[in-house]
């Protein structure tokens, strides 16, 4: 589905450089189609992204609909947009979100 496809693209975009400069782990709690727990690890050497809980504790946890998530990564939504509308929540280090935005 679109969520799995998005994570495949993210996994392909993860570089050692992003991991070094970001040093953050993102966990996504997605509702709806293709939902569940997904993660992007930009802290562990090599980095990774995929389905399930991150290998280490997340620095940022974002809850949103899978539709908003896919839009956000397709650059149709700014990363902060879903959270200002109130149907999404975000916990953790805001500075890390900005570095994730750079990666997109």
């Amino acid at each position: 589905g679109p969520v799995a496809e998005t994570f495949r693209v993210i996994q392909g975009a993860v570089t050692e450089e992003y991991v070094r400069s970001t040093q953050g782990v993102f966990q996504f709690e997605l509702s709806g189609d293709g939902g569940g727990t997904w993660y992007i690890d930009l802290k562990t050497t090599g980095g990774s992204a995929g389905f399930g809980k991150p290998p280490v504790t997340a620095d940022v946890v974002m809850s949103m609909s899978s539709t908003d998530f896919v839009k956000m990564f397709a650059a149709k939504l700014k990363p902060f947009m879903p959270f200002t509308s109130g149907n999404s929540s975000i916990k953790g280090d805001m500075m890390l979100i900005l570095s994730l935005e750079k990666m997109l």
Side-chain angles (χ1 to χ4, degrees):
V3 173
E5 186 51 48
T6 302
F7 274 95
R8 258 200 302 282
V9 172
I10 294 166
Q11 172 77 62
V14 171
T15 65
E16 206 47 76
E17 193 186 332
Y18 280 131
V19 173
R20 249 200 320 276
S21 63
T22 307
Q23 289 297 298
V25 178
F26 304 86
Q27 183 173 323
F28 300 90
E29 297 297 338
L30 303 181
S31 56
D33 202 22
T37 301
W38 296 79
Y39 75 92
I40 303 173
D41 175 359
L42 295 175
K43 189 178 263 182
T44 310
T45 308
S48 62
F51 184 69
K53 286 245 191 282
V56 291
T57 308
D59 299 295
V60 178
V61 179
M62 301 188 214
S63 308
M64 65 175 79
S65 73
S66 53
T67 313
D68 277 356
F69 174 82
V70 171
K71 278 190 197 147
M72 181 170 105
F73 275 86
K76 293 190 174 72
L77 268 184
K78 278 271 174 240
F80 289 109
M81 284 304 289
F83 308 107
T84 50
S85 66
N87 9 349
S88 309
S89 78
I90 185 163
K91 295 193 280 287
D93 185 341
M94 283 303 187
M95 291 313 293
L96 283 172
I97 312 283
L98 294 172
S99 50
L100 184 66
E101 187 171 1
K102 282 205 278 288
M103 180 180 163
L104 314 183

